[in-house]
Amino acid sequence: MFAADGTFGPPTSVAVEDGVIVDRVDGVRVDGRGGYLLPGLIDTHVHVDHPDQLAAGLRWGVTTMLDMGTRRWDELRALRDADDDTRADLRGVSSPACAPRGTAVRRMHHPASTAVRGPRDAARWVAERLAQDPDYLKVVLEERLPFRPKPLDPDTVAALVAHAHRAGKKVVVHAASSRAYTVALDAGADVLTHAPIGDTVTADLARRIAAAGTAVSPTLVMMRTILRTLKLPFTPRWLDFTHAVASTGALHRAGATIVLGTDANADDTSPARVAHGVSAHDELALLVDAGLSPSEALRAATSRAAAVFGLDDRGLVATGRRADLLLVARDPTRDITATRDVVGVWKRGVAAPVPARA
């Protein structure tokens, strides 16, 4: 089974009791049968609009999914709070903060109240979100573009983060450029999501991010899909997926905490659609392409993701942790594509259906 140091130990079986891994042999056993046992994967960036998407995640071994912005939080909160082992576990942020006339309001149809009209409006926004009982809070920091609404200013972002932290909530910031990374970092954000496709994070900025303990969810599979599906007469030369790969590599070399996220969604208002569940395996491979070792990529999808988002009951195959487990046929520390060879998936020790093997 996969250990905290990123290696597999000798063959063993895992005992489960009441959905938790135990060190006794009288519980229900999840037998590895010669396979390789991993903690269930955690996708730190998805968008869910139907329970079937959570079921699809579970089939592919994604046992926890974090929704990073939805207009339907009341419905998702009910899914989060339901005791259901047929779907991935769910956490979420409700509606994100954005600038007046920002994309979340103007294009994605979030309520007008999700717009923040300056630093003095931050307390109001945080209080309204807290009333919805989200797990985390999210801020969308858009780019300065001609003929587009102005993005949130740095003082407003800093005020949002400060009010959220006083309320005990971690803050995820949508930031897709070095400028946005810097604003979010200066504001004290906990997690940056998306790797830039228009410029590359410098070594100095990467070191600042690492020193601050700020985590990054690059969502490489989404950034690649955006460029593949972008409908423009021509793609500007400065938009290039190599920026995202190089930025992720720079962050990794600097020692920044990288976590797995896909931005999986089926939303017509999204710049690109990404499949739930299976895309986590694409993201693992892209993280390896960016310079992480297979073991580091696996930790980004398990123990590191759990630590960053305060999911202290999962992320490791260890006594006392939830029995959220993924069994694969081959050693993914040697070949990261082995995670696709799914043999078994368990959520709290309950077996789930798995994809048909080719």
Side-chain angles (χ1 to χ4, degrees), residues 94-118:
S94 182
S95 288
C98 72
R101 298 187 62 244
T103 299
V105 171
R106 178 172 46 84
R107 177 179 170 84
M108 304 184 80
H109 312 303
H110 285 271
S113 62
T114 203
V116 183
R117 302 180 182 279

Side-chain angles (χ1 to χ4, degrees), residues 22-350:
V22 297
D23 57 6
R24 301 184 300 278
V25 297
D26 55 348
V28 175
R29 287 186 178 221
V30 175
D31 189 347
R33 292 168 284 173
Y36 294 82
L37 191 64
L38 298 159
L41 306 181
I42 300 170
D43 191 335
T44 68
H45 192 143
V46 303
H47 298 276
V48 174
D49 53 30
H50 196 279
D52 286 352
Q53 294 163 344
L54 295 170
L58 186 60
R59 283 196 299 275
W60 282 100
V62 182
T63 53
T64 302
M65 303 172 92
L66 277 53
D67 187 282
M68 283 294 139
T70 177
R71 304 180 299 274
R72 303 164 59 187
W73 176 241
D74 287 344
E75 296 172 39
L76 263 64
R77 186 174 58 200
L79 291 174
R80 178 196 69 182
D81 296 340
D83 188 17
D84 191 334
D85 292 326
T86 67
R87 303 186 290 252
D89 216 31
L90 180 68
R91 300 290 187 274
V93 302
S94 182
S95 288
C98 72
R101 298 187 62 244
T103 299
V105 171
R106 178 172 46 84
R107 177 179 170 84
M108 304 184 80
H109 312 303
H110 285 271
S113 62
T114 203
V116 183
R117 302 180 182 279
R120 293 183 179 181
D121 196 26
R124 185 274 310 170
W125 183 89
V126 170
E128 288 183 1
R129 298 290 82 72
L130 293 176
Q132 296 179 305
D133 190 27
D135 301 285
Y136 319 101
L137 297 180
K138 183 181 178 183
V139 176
V140 174
L141 186 51
E142 298 183 270
E143 302 304 315
R144 292 194 183 104
L145 296 173
F147 311 110
R148 291 289 184 89
K150 292 181 180 179
L152 289 172
D153 64 86
D155 288 343
T156 302
V157 178
L160 286 164
V161 173
H163 283 287
H165 284 173
R166 281 197 285 272
K169 294 294 183 182
K170 292 194 174 189
V171 180
V172 179
V173 175
H174 166 111
S177 70
S178 294
R179 181 199 70 83
Y181 270 39
T182 301
V183 171
L185 180 64
D186 290 344
D190 300 288
V191 183
L192 310 179
T193 185
H194 305 307
I197 55 176
D199 68 347
T200 299
V201 172
T202 65
D204 285 345
L205 179 54
R207 284 192 289 268
R208 282 194 61 206
I209 291 168
T214 305
V216 181
S217 177
T219 68
L220 293 171
V221 66
M222 169 53 105
M223 311 320 284
R224 182 181 68 178
T225 306
I226 288 174
L227 290 174
R228 286 179 173 178
T229 60
L230 196 62
K231 294 180 180 178
L232 292 175
F234 62 92
T235 300
R237 287 184 300 173
W238 49 271
L239 287 180
D240 197 316
F241 183 59
T242 60
H243 289 306
V245 175
S247 294
T248 304
L251 290 161
H252 173 59
R253 289 190 297 275
T257 299
I258 293 174
V259 296
L260 180 140
T262 63
D263 208 353
N265 74 92
D267 190 340
D268 289 337
T269 67
S270 169
R273 294 188 180 191
V274 173
H276 294 78
V278 65
S279 59
H281 302 273
D282 296 330
E283 187 72 16
L284 284 168
L286 288 171
L287 290 175
V288 171
D289 289 345
L292 280 70
S293 71
S295 292
E296 289 165 337
L298 291 168
R299 289 200 293 272
T302 55
S303 57
R304 286 178 180 162
V308 166
F309 285 93
L311 301 170
D312 299 330
D313 61 345
R314 66 199 74 188
L316 291 171
V317 184
T319 300
R321 299 288 179 125
R322 279 172 52 127
D324 292 352
L325 303 166
L326 167 62
L327 182 69
V328 298
R330 298 182 291 119
D331 185 350
T333 65
R334 296 180 178 273
D335 176 4
I336 195 62
T337 67
T339 60
R340 292 176 175 272
D341 288 346
V342 177
V343 175
V345 175
W346 295 262
K347 180 184 174 186
R348 295 189 300 194
V350 177

